Amino acid sequence: MNKPRHVLGISGGKDSAALAIYLNDKYPTLNFEYYFCDTGKELDETYQLIENLESYLGKKILKLENDELKGSKESPFDFYFKSFRGYLPSPQARWCTAMMKIKPFEKFVSGKPTISYVGIRGDEEREGYISREANIQSIFPFRRNIWSNDVLTEFFTPGNQSKVQEFLTTYHRGNDLDRFIAILNEPIDFERNNKTETEKVLKRKLHGSLDLGIPEFNRTVFDFLKTTEYPLATEVDFELLDNEDILVREDIFRILRESGIGVPKYYEKVEFEVDGQKGEYARSRSGCFFCFFQQKIEWIWLYEQHPNLYKEAMEYENEEENFTWTPNESLAELIQPARIKQIKLGHIQRSSKEESKKSPYLLDILEGTERDGCNTCFL
């Protein structure tokens, strides 16, 4: 097996940008390849962020696209929108993700062993995009646990227990070794229908193992991986094994500001007033300006801050076929004065319930919208 490539996708969002800066500064010997899947429907701030990152990293961020787009004068989104005969993407039919993100990425990798670095933070409970291709392995540097669920499943599978125990004695002694063996011995059934219970046991095993030492756990997993076909199997060592950093949202904003890259303007809060009540709104994500994962308050933000883009988003809708960006409501209906008022008042009410968290970022109170979005697009 060839040595793996190290790749990092830049979505235009804060997390992937901060991850690129963080890894570049902390692990300068790793030869990262950066890429960006352009839909042609990003906000201007996204493209500016890409330019700023290229200057900071001293490397070109490769723009990926599929072969069928070559020679086309249309944006990638418009090209595929026509291919799907005007059928808008949705949470149930994410052709945008499949055609403009995953397909060009897997073509870029081209079957070669690849380590893909993902910017999911230490304060998030989500896994992110895991490729089904055996040659692609995901790593999560911001989290306490850097390994993906597929790796953990292999590591904690009962049939691999004896193999895992061979590596434990290198990093554990005495009581810690006994505790780790007890963790391995806890029954877990990956074949059972009760997925919720399996995930609960897996999480318990993971955190119990990490409590005995993050570097020790990472090195045990790494040694185990050398007996598999994972891309890291060919590596003599891996620099992130001893990293105990856990980065959360506040760290992401700090990295962007201290580096001089800056936070994209669409994350900045804008004040509004309705019925004498004051509120604030912003955009919670990168990605297409008409992303169907947006909350209603974010659509209102787009309408009031970028009316031309909102109008463009409206032109894609076909109300006769019920092809609208939001279920059962067109963008024309969404911006009726009474509806705008209702959405804003509802947002103010939800926001006030979250004030006790004392977060300086509106992103914390947009109903967890980041976690609901497409992980491939919004890192």
Side-chain angles (χ1 to χ4, degrees):
M1 188 186 293
N2 297 326
K3 291 292 183 181
R5 299 163 62 184
H6 299 268
V7 306
L8 200 164
I10 305 298
S11 69
K14 64 189 186 309
D15 295 337
S16 62
L19 180 62
I21 297 166
Y22 171 81
L23 292 175
N24 176 78
D25 294 351
K26 188 157 186 173
Y27 302 104
T29 60
L30 285 176
N31 183 26
F32 289 103
E33 300 175 63
Y34 305 100
Y35 68 90
F36 170 56
C37 298
D38 189 7
T39 66
K41 299 297 178 179
E42 313 284 336
L43 290 166
D44 289 342
E45 291 89 344
T46 295
Y47 299 113
Q48 184 61 57
L49 180 68
I50 298 293
E51 290 184 19
N52 294 347
L53 275 174
E54 287 182 329
S55 297
Y56 185 90
L57 299 170
K59 279 189 175 182
K60 189 72 176 174
I61 297 173
L62 184 63
K63 178 181 174 180
L64 305 186
E65 65 179 20
N66 293 321
D67 289 339
E68 59 258 41
L69 286 167
K70 292 179 180 178
S72 173
K73 295 182 180 180
E74 296 179 303
S75 70
F77 182 88
D78 287 337
F79 179 90
Y80 289 113
F81 179 68
K82 290 182 180 179
S83 298
F84 282 85
R85 304 186 182 211
Y87 187 85
L88 289 175
S90 68
Q92 295 74 36
R94 303 186 197 182
W95 59 255
C96 52
T97 302
M99 303 306 297
M100 295 187 291
K101 304 287 182 175
I102 297 176
K103 184 178 178 180
F105 168 65
E106 294 187 342
K107 178 180 178 293
F108 166 62
V109 169
S110 189
K112 297 177 181 177
T114 300
I115 310 298
S116 176
Y117 294 80
V118 183
I120 292 179
R121 306 186 306 269
D123 57 350
E124 295 184 290
E125 287 290 338
R126 57 188 177 111
E127 178 70 357
Y129 165 67
I130 304 297
S131 174
R132 295 180 180 179
E133 302 296 324
N135 59 295
I136 302 173
Q137 180 176 357
S138 296
I139 294 292
F140 304 87
F142 285 160
R143 303 190 317 192
R144 186 181 187 219
N145 164 49
I146 65 173
W147 310 107
S148 55
N149 272 354
D150 56 321
V151 168
L152 296 177
T153 298
E154 288 292 320
F155 184 81
F156 287 114
T157 290
N160 292 328
Q161 182 174 317
S162 59
K163 189 184 300 184
V164 169
Q165 287 193 30
E166 294 177 13
F167 306 119
L168 286 178
T169 55
T170 305
Y171 310 106
H172 295 280
R173 298 283 189 278
N175 290 335
D176 281 354
L177 178 60
D178 293 339
R179 289 170 62 189
F180 208 131
I181 291 175
I183 290 170
L184 290 178
N185 286 335
E186 181 182 3
I188 187 169
D189 184 359
F190 292 103
E191 302 299 325
R192 68 169 61 188
N193 294 325
N194 190 349
K195 183 180 178 181
T196 301
E197 179 61 23
T198 299
E199 290 177 349
K200 186 185 301 183
V201 175
L202 181 62
K203 185 177 292 186
R204 189 161 60 241
K205 284 175 172 282
L206 169 64
H207 290 300
S209 302
L210 289 168
D211 288 343
L212 297 176
I214 294 175
E216 291 81 1
F217 176 69
N218 286 342
R219 291 196 169 276
T220 304
V221 174
F222 181 68
D223 287 351
F224 168 75
L225 286 177
K226 292 181 181 180
T227 69
T228 72
E229 296 297 316
Y230 277 94
L232 276 176
T234 62
E235 294 289 84
V236 176
D237 201 1
F238 183 48
E239 294 188 51
L240 272 70
L241 296 178
D242 295 326
N243 186 4
E244 298 186 63
D245 292 346
I246 302 172
L247 278 72
V248 298
R249 179 173 290 150
E250 286 73 15
D251 297 311
I252 303 308
F253 282 86
R254 174 182 53 77
I255 288 172
L256 291 173
R257 291 190 171 111
E258 290 180 356
S259 68
I261 297 297
V263 179
K265 188 177 179 181
Y266 54 72
Y267 286 128
E268 296 178 2
K269 297 178 289 186
V270 177
E271 292 186 352
F272 64 81
E273 184 173 342
V274 57
D275 278 2
Q277 300 185 53
K278 293 184 178 181
E280 298 172 326
Y281 59 11
R283 186 174 167 88
S284 69
R285 63 187 72 249
S286 61
C288 301
F289 61 81
F290 45 55
C291 177
F292 48 81
F293 276 118
Q294 289 182 106
Q295 299 294 295
K296 299 295 176 68
I297 189 64
E298 295 181 89
W299 280 111
I300 300 306
W301 173 90
L302 182 68
Y303 171 66
E304 296 183 341
Q305 303 302 315
H306 298 278
N308 290 337
L309 295 181
Y310 191 93
K311 181 180 178 181
E312 183 178 339
M314 291 177 66
E315 293 172 354
Y316 287 103
E317 293 190 322
N318 183 339
E319 293 185 60
E320 291 183 3
E321 298 288 339
N322 201 29
F323 292 168
T324 57
W325 290 111
T326 65
N328 304 316
E329 186 172 29
S330 70
L331 293 187
E333 293 171 324
L334 194 68
I335 56 173
Q336 295 304 307
R339 184 68 173 119
I340 292 177
K341 177 180 176 181
Q342 181 186 36
I343 292 170
K344 285 185 173 181
L345 288 174
H347 177 65
I348 291 172
Q349 184 178 19
R350 287 189 300 273
S351 300
S352 65
K353 292 180 181 178
E354 298 293 330
E355 285 183 356
S356 60
K357 294 184 178 180
K358 303 299 181 184
S359 171
Y361 305 116
L362 178 69
L363 303 175
D364 287 327
I365 56 179
L366 279 175
E367 300 180 296
T369 54
E370 274 188 308
R371 294 174 178 84
D372 295 335
C374 167
N375 294 327
T376 307
C377 299
F378 305 134
L379 300 177

